[in-house]
Structures are given as C-alpha cells and as structure tokens.
Amino acid sequence: MALTHTGRLRLHTQRLPGRGGGPGGPTAVFLHGLVMDNLSSFYWTLAGPVSRAGHEVLLYDQRGHGRSERPSTGYDMDTAVADLAALLGALGLDRSPVHLIGNSFGGALALHTALVRPDLVASLVLIDAQLTGDWVEDMTDTLSVAALGLEHSRLPEQLAALGRRKEARLTAGADALLNRTTLIEDIAAATAFTARDFAGLRRPVLAVYGEHSELLPGARELARSAADCELCVLPDVGHTVLNEATEGLRGAVLGRLRARAGAVAG
C-alpha cells in the first residue's frame, strides 16, 4: 500500500509501469465511482491491460474512499479536481497532460476536470457516467436511503461475525462516508452538465455506455454537442459496463489509446 501526501491529504495510490514495448504516451489515470467503489475495481478489468499495452497507469482511492484519508468535508467536484491536480503534482505527473478514464461518477469527475483544468487532460474515456437529466436528485435520494439503512443497522458487525471481513470493511467505510461526512450534501449541490458544457469541451472523448443504461441519453447529447466524441454502445448491458461487458470495454479503450498515440506520433 502506498500513501501519497499531496499537501492536502493522504491518498492511497498504485502505479503500474508501461510494459510490452507499446506506444507509451500520456499516463492513464483511473477514476472510480462513489461510496462502495475504490481503485481495485480497475485492477483486472482495465489497468493491467492498459499497462501491458505500454501506458503508465495511476490508480488512486478518491477522498474518503478505500484506504485514502476520510476528511469530514470536501466531496464536491471542484475539490475532487483539486485533489487530482495535487496528486499529479506530488507524483511529478503534472508536466504533461494525462488520459482520464472514469467509471460512473468517476466519469463525471473526468469530464468536469477537462472543463475546468483542460491543461491536465490529454483525452477522456467516460464509462457509463452521469451527465444530464435528474442524476443529481436520483443519486442524492439513493445515497440518503443507503445512509439511513446503514445508520440504523449493525450490518458491518454482522458481516464480520460471519467471517466476511472484506464486505464488513467496505460496508463500514460506506457508513462512515455517508453518515459522517458532507458527501450527500455536496452531491446534492452539484449540477448536471449542459449542451453548452459539451460544446465547450476541447479534449477528445470516448464514451462507453450500456445499451440498457438509463444514462445513455446524456451520452447521446454529449456526442451531438462535443467537437470530438465517439460514442460506443455495448449490447445487452446496463450501468454495469465495467464488470459485465469488460471485454468490449477493454477493446474500445485500448483501441482509443492506440489511436491517440498514433495521432500524436503522426
């Protein structure tokens, strides 16, 4: 386990070197989803294959998640971008733009980063990210219900008693994040992206969504409005693209990274 001191807080990080004599190019930075998610969701799905294709990889647990520090405040998008910028600076990766690959809420964070700090970003991969519509209200409601359920149960202790230690640890972390930080309030204060935001995007985007995802309309609006956006829709899957359509996702991501490397080399 590596804890990187960013000057703001300590973030749990993992780095993989680019291997296999691939094209190299910008570092690929992975951004996970909210609450029950952490950097481990990318290990076997995408990070290893991207590393073997020749790209240096950075994985990290976002503020309050996984093994990173859990301050009581600072779960808004702008603070998350500042955390990312500080981490890149602490690791010496801020000298050139990076590829951002974000799943679910991590994709929304990647897009926000490209809008407010385009100097940090070479390209984006958004994996079934929340972009438009009522996602802020829907996510706030979902998180609030989960917080209430965890607050009035002893689920972590029950899981631990059954020997399910990993699940107990994840559930206890979710309880702390939902009930003892400003995460829900900060999410509630967020705003959905607009067509104007998409039109102002100046970085190439690959958006990978499930055919049955309720978030797909936002991706279609992004593809219509952004100057350089490829939309890849994977069949027979909903929001769980990362885990249930891994092969198709992996092919799309590696193909995009190869194309970007070729464009830069050319």
mmCIF file of all heavy atoms in Angstrom, residues 17-45:
data_model
loop_
_atom_site.group_PDB
_atom_site.id
_atom_site.type_symbol
_atom_site.label_atom_id
_atom_site.label_comp_id
_atom_site.label_asym_id
_atom_site.label_seq_id
_atom_site.Cartn_x
_atom_site.Cartn_y
_atom_site.Cartn_z
ATOM 1 N N PRO A 17 3.859 0.377 -14.336
ATOM 2 C CA PRO A 17 4.672 0.888 -15.447
ATOM 3 C C PRO A 17 4.110 0.447 -16.784
ATOM 4 O O PRO A 17 3.437 -0.583 -16.887
ATOM 5 C CB PRO A 17 6.037 0.247 -15.183
ATOM 6 C CG PRO A 17 5.703 -1.046 -14.494
ATOM 7 C CD PRO A 17 4.500 -0.745 -13.634
ATOM 8 N N GLY A 18 4.393 1.216 -17.822
ATOM 9 C CA GLY A 18 4.046 0.785 -19.166
ATOM 10 C C GLY A 18 4.974 -0.341 -19.591
ATOM 11 O O GLY A 18 6.192 -0.231 -19.462
ATOM 12 N N ARG A 19 4.401 -1.437 -20.065
ATOM 13 C CA ARG A 19 5.206 -2.605 -20.406
ATOM 14 C C ARG A 19 4.907 -3.050 -21.822
ATOM 15 O O ARG A 19 3.995 -2.557 -22.462
ATOM 16 C CB ARG A 19 4.897 -3.757 -19.432
ATOM 17 C CG ARG A 19 5.217 -3.418 -18.002
ATOM 18 C CD ARG A 19 4.834 -4.551 -17.074
ATOM 19 N NE ARG A 19 3.399 -4.823 -17.121
ATOM 20 C CZ ARG A 19 2.711 -5.282 -16.096
ATOM 21 N NH1 ARG A 19 3.293 -5.512 -14.959
ATOM 22 N NH2 ARG A 19 1.414 -5.512 -16.229
ATOM 23 N N GLY A 20 5.698 -4.012 -22.280
ATOM 24 C CA GLY A 20 5.396 -4.671 -23.545
ATOM 25 C C GLY A 20 5.828 -3.913 -24.779
ATOM 26 O O GLY A 20 5.471 -4.297 -25.897
ATOM 27 N N GLY A 21 6.597 -2.844 -24.602
ATOM 28 C CA GLY A 21 7.087 -2.133 -25.781
ATOM 29 C C GLY A 21 5.995 -1.435 -26.570
ATOM 30 O O GLY A 21 6.099 -1.270 -27.775
ATOM 31 N N GLY A 22 4.926 -1.063 -25.893
ATOM 32 C CA GLY A 22 3.810 -0.402 -26.548
ATOM 33 C C GLY A 22 4.116 1.049 -26.869
ATOM 34 O O GLY A 22 5.256 1.511 -26.776
ATOM 35 N N PRO A 23 3.086 1.811 -27.219
ATOM 36 C CA PRO A 23 3.296 3.171 -27.726
ATOM 37 C C PRO A 23 3.682 4.186 -26.663
ATOM 38 O O PRO A 23 4.134 5.280 -26.992
ATOM 39 C CB PRO A 23 1.925 3.518 -28.328
ATOM 40 C CG PRO A 23 0.955 2.691 -27.547
ATOM 41 C CD PRO A 23 1.674 1.406 -27.252
ATOM 42 N N GLY A 24 3.500 3.862 -25.409
ATOM 43 C CA GLY A 24 3.804 4.851 -24.374
ATOM 44 C C GLY A 24 2.816 5.999 -24.431
ATOM 45 O O GLY A 24 1.628 5.798 -24.600
ATOM 46 N N GLY A 25 3.338 7.208 -24.308
ATOM 47 C CA GLY A 25 2.450 8.362 -24.345
ATOM 48 C C GLY A 25 1.993 8.754 -22.969
ATOM 49 O O GLY A 25 2.553 8.327 -21.956
ATOM 50 N N PRO A 26 0.913 9.555 -22.888
ATOM 51 C CA PRO A 26 0.454 10.063 -21.595
ATOM 52 C C PRO A 26 0.083 8.954 -20.614
ATOM 53 O O PRO A 26 -0.362 7.875 -21.002
ATOM 54 C CB PRO A 26 -0.786 10.890 -21.968
ATOM 55 C CG PRO A 26 -0.580 11.260 -23.398
ATOM 56 C CD PRO A 26 0.147 10.104 -24.010
ATOM 57 N N THR A 27 0.278 9.245 -19.342
ATOM 58 C CA THR A 27 -0.150 8.335 -18.282
ATOM 59 C C THR A 27 -1.677 8.211 -18.306
ATOM 60 O O THR A 27 -2.391 9.184 -18.541
ATOM 61 C CB THR A 27 0.311 8.872 -16.919
ATOM 62 O OG1 THR A 27 1.739 8.903 -16.894
ATOM 63 C CG2 THR A 27 -0.193 8.005 -15.777
ATOM 64 N N ALA A 28 -2.169 7.005 -18.035
ATOM 65 C CA ALA A 28 -3.610 6.766 -17.910
ATOM 66 C C ALA A 28 -3.979 6.795 -16.437
ATOM 67 O O ALA A 28 -3.447 6.013 -15.641
ATOM 68 C CB ALA A 28 -3.992 5.428 -18.529
ATOM 69 N N VAL A 29 -4.854 7.701 -16.062
ATOM 70 C CA VAL A 29 -5.281 7.862 -14.675
ATOM 71 C C VAL A 29 -6.731 7.399 -14.565
ATOM 72 O O VAL A 29 -7.605 7.865 -15.305
ATOM 73 C CB VAL A 29 -5.163 9.329 -14.222
ATOM 74 C CG1 VAL A 29 -5.619 9.483 -12.773
ATOM 75 C CG2 VAL A 29 -3.731 9.814 -14.384
ATOM 76 N N PHE A 30 -6.988 6.483 -13.624
ATOM 77 C CA PHE A 30 -8.313 5.883 -13.476
ATOM 78 C C PHE A 30 -9.062 6.519 -12.305
ATOM 79 O O PHE A 30 -8.510 6.685 -11.219
ATOM 80 C CB PHE A 30 -8.182 4.378 -13.253
ATOM 81 C CG PHE A 30 -7.754 3.627 -14.490
ATOM 82 C CD1 PHE A 30 -6.418 3.519 -14.834
ATOM 83 C CD2 PHE A 30 -8.700 3.049 -15.315
ATOM 84 C CE1 PHE A 30 -6.026 2.839 -15.973
ATOM 85 C CE2 PHE A 30 -8.329 2.360 -16.461
ATOM 86 C CZ PHE A 30 -6.986 2.260 -16.788
ATOM 87 N N LEU A 31 -10.344 6.825 -12.544
ATOM 88 C CA LEU A 31 -11.198 7.462 -11.548
ATOM 89 C C LEU A 31 -12.400 6.566 -11.285
ATOM 90 O O LEU A 31 -13.216 6.320 -12.189
ATOM 91 C CB LEU A 31 -11.675 8.825 -12.056
ATOM 92 C CG LEU A 31 -10.570 9.821 -12.461
ATOM 93 C CD1 LEU A 31 -11.185 11.055 -13.121
ATOM 94 C CD2 LEU A 31 -9.728 10.215 -11.265
ATOM 95 N N HIS A 32 -12.529 6.073 -10.057
ATOM 96 C CA HIS A 32 -13.590 5.128 -9.713
ATOM 97 C C HIS A 32 -14.887 5.847 -9.333
ATOM 98 O O HIS A 32 -14.951 7.063 -9.233
ATOM 99 C CB HIS A 32 -13.129 4.206 -8.577
ATOM 100 C CG HIS A 32 -12.819 4.922 -7.297
ATOM 101 N ND1 HIS A 32 -13.796 5.463 -6.489
ATOM 102 C CD2 HIS A 32 -11.625 5.177 -6.673
ATOM 103 C CE1 HIS A 32 -13.233 6.022 -5.431
ATOM 104 N NE2 HIS A 32 -11.916 5.871 -5.515
ATOM 105 N N GLY A 33 -15.932 5.051 -9.068
ATOM 106 C CA GLY A 33 -17.229 5.581 -8.684
ATOM 107 C C GLY A 33 -17.338 5.856 -7.199
ATOM 108 O O GLY A 33 -16.348 5.821 -6.460
ATOM 109 N N LEU A 34 -18.576 6.099 -6.744
ATOM 110 C CA LEU A 34 -18.804 6.558 -5.377
ATOM 111 C C LEU A 34 -19.060 5.430 -4.374
ATOM 112 O O LEU A 34 -19.574 4.370 -4.715
ATOM 113 C CB LEU A 34 -20.025 7.483 -5.348
ATOM 114 C CG LEU A 34 -19.839 8.924 -5.816
ATOM 115 C CD1 LEU A 34 -21.172 9.652 -5.740
ATOM 116 C CD2 LEU A 34 -18.796 9.650 -5.002
ATOM 117 N N VAL A 35 -18.686 5.681 -3.148
ATOM 118 C CA VAL A 35 -19.065 5.007 -1.903
ATOM 119 C C VAL A 35 -18.513 3.597 -1.784
ATOM 120 O O VAL A 35 -17.554 3.361 -1.038
ATOM 121 C CB VAL A 35 -20.599 5.010 -1.678
ATOM 122 C CG1 VAL A 35 -20.934 4.396 -0.312
ATOM 123 C CG2 VAL A 35 -21.138 6.435 -1.720
ATOM 124 N N MET A 36 -19.076 2.616 -2.469
ATOM 125 C CA MET A 36 -18.615 1.241 -2.327
ATOM 126 C C MET A 36 -17.485 0.919 -3.289
ATOM 127 O O MET A 36 -16.957 -0.194 -3.298
ATOM 128 C CB MET A 36 -19.773 0.258 -2.553
ATOM 129 C CG MET A 36 -20.848 0.297 -1.496
ATOM 130 S SD MET A 36 -20.287 -0.278 0.132
ATOM 131 C CE MET A 36 -20.237 -2.039 -0.132
ATOM 132 N N ASP A 37 -17.106 1.869 -4.106
ATOM 133 C CA ASP A 37 -16.085 1.636 -5.127
ATOM 134 C C ASP A 37 -14.727 2.129 -4.644
ATOM 135 O O ASP A 37 -14.624 2.954 -3.727
ATOM 136 C CB ASP A 37 -16.477 2.352 -6.415
ATOM 137 C CG ASP A 37 -15.873 1.712 -7.652
ATOM 138 O OD1 ASP A 37 -15.131 0.724 -7.523
ATOM 139 O OD2 ASP A 37 -16.144 2.207 -8.756
ATOM 140 N N ASN A 38 -13.671 1.627 -5.270
ATOM 141 C CA ASN A 38 -12.301 2.083 -4.998
ATOM 142 C C ASN A 38 -11.426 1.660 -6.162
ATOM 143 O O ASN A 38 -11.919 1.108 -7.158
ATOM 144 C CB ASN A 38 -11.790 1.529 -3.659
ATOM 145 C CG ASN A 38 -11.844 0.025 -3.586
ATOM 146 O OD1 ASN A 38 -11.267 -0.678 -4.416
ATOM 147 N ND2 ASN A 38 -12.563 -0.496 -2.599
ATOM 148 N N LEU A 39 -10.134 1.921 -6.037
ATOM 149 C CA LEU A 39 -9.243 1.673 -7.177
ATOM 150 C C LEU A 39 -9.195 0.215 -7.609
ATOM 151 O O LEU A 39 -8.858 -0.104 -8.759
ATOM 152 C CB LEU A 39 -7.838 2.192 -6.873
ATOM 153 C CG LEU A 39 -7.005 1.584 -5.737
ATOM 154 C CD1 LEU A 39 -6.336 0.262 -6.122
ATOM 155 C CD2 LEU A 39 -5.919 2.569 -5.297
ATOM 156 N N SER A 40 -9.531 -0.713 -6.711
ATOM 157 C CA SER A 40 -9.397 -2.136 -7.031
ATOM 158 C C SER A 40 -10.324 -2.570 -8.164
ATOM 159 O O SER A 40 -10.065 -3.588 -8.816
ATOM 160 C CB SER A 40 -9.663 -2.991 -5.789
ATOM 161 O OG SER A 40 -11.016 -2.897 -5.383
ATOM 162 N N SER A 41 -11.400 -1.814 -8.426
ATOM 163 C CA SER A 41 -12.326 -2.217 -9.487
ATOM 164 C C SER A 41 -11.678 -2.171 -10.870
ATOM 165 O O SER A 41 -12.191 -2.772 -11.819
ATOM 166 C CB SER A 41 -13.572 -1.339 -9.464
ATOM 167 O OG SER A 41 -13.260 0.008 -9.749
ATOM 168 N N PHE A 42 -10.555 -1.474 -10.989
ATOM 169 C CA PHE A 42 -9.884 -1.359 -12.283
ATOM 170 C C PHE A 42 -8.732 -2.352 -12.476
ATOM 171 O O PHE A 42 -8.199 -2.448 -13.577
ATOM 172 C CB PHE A 42 -9.315 0.052 -12.458
ATOM 173 C CG PHE A 42 -10.356 1.116 -12.663
ATOM 174 C CD1 PHE A 42 -10.512 2.121 -11.727
ATOM 175 C CD2 PHE A 42 -11.164 1.129 -13.784
ATOM 176 C CE1 PHE A 42 -11.455 3.121 -11.911
ATOM 177 C CE2 PHE A 42 -12.111 2.117 -13.973
ATOM 178 C CZ PHE A 42 -12.254 3.116 -13.038
ATOM 179 N N TYR A 43 -8.316 -3.046 -11.421
ATOM 180 C CA TYR A 43 -7.114 -3.869 -11.496
ATOM 181 C C TYR A 43 -7.122 -4.818 -12.688
ATOM 182 O O TYR A 43 -6.263 -4.766 -13.559
ATOM 183 C CB TYR A 43 -6.939 -4.695 -10.217
ATOM 184 C CG TYR A 43 -6.109 -4.016 -9.156
ATOM 185 C CD1 TYR A 43 -6.536 -4.015 -7.832
ATOM 186 C CD2 TYR A 43 -4.912 -3.389 -9.464
ATOM 187 C CE1 TYR A 43 -5.789 -3.392 -6.849
ATOM 188 C CE2 TYR A 43 -4.165 -2.764 -8.489
ATOM 189 C CZ TYR A 43 -4.606 -2.778 -7.181
ATOM 190 O OH TYR A 43 -3.865 -2.165 -6.211
ATOM 191 N N TRP A 44 -8.068 -5.759 -12.694
ATOM 192 C CA TRP A 44 -8.071 -6.798 -13.711
ATOM 193 C C TRP A 44 -8.919 -6.425 -14.910
ATOM 194 O O TRP A 44 -8.793 -7.043 -15.975
ATOM 195 C CB TRP A 44 -8.573 -8.116 -13.110
ATOM 196 C CG TRP A 44 -7.827 -8.485 -11.868
ATOM 197 C CD1 TRP A 44 -8.336 -8.569 -10.600
ATOM 198 C CD2 TRP A 44 -6.435 -8.782 -11.751
ATOM 199 N NE1 TRP A 44 -7.343 -8.899 -9.710
ATOM 200 C CE2 TRP A 44 -6.164 -9.040 -10.382
ATOM 201 C CE3 TRP A 44 -5.383 -8.856 -12.661
ATOM 202 C CZ2 TRP A 44 -4.902 -9.363 -9.914
ATOM 203 C CZ3 TRP A 44 -4.107 -9.182 -12.196
ATOM 204 C CH2 TRP A 44 -3.885 -9.426 -10.848
ATOM 205 N N THR A 45 -9.779 -5.449 -14.749
ATOM 206 C CA THR A 45 -10.657 -5.069 -15.852
ATOM 207 C C THR A 45 -9.924 -4.245 -16.908
ATOM 208 O O THR A 45 -9.976 -4.554 -18.100
ATOM 209 C CB THR A 45 -11.854 -4.269 -15.315
ATOM 210 O OG1 THR A 45 -11.377 -3.189 -14.494
ATOM 211 C CG2 THR A 45 -12.775 -5.154 -14.493
#
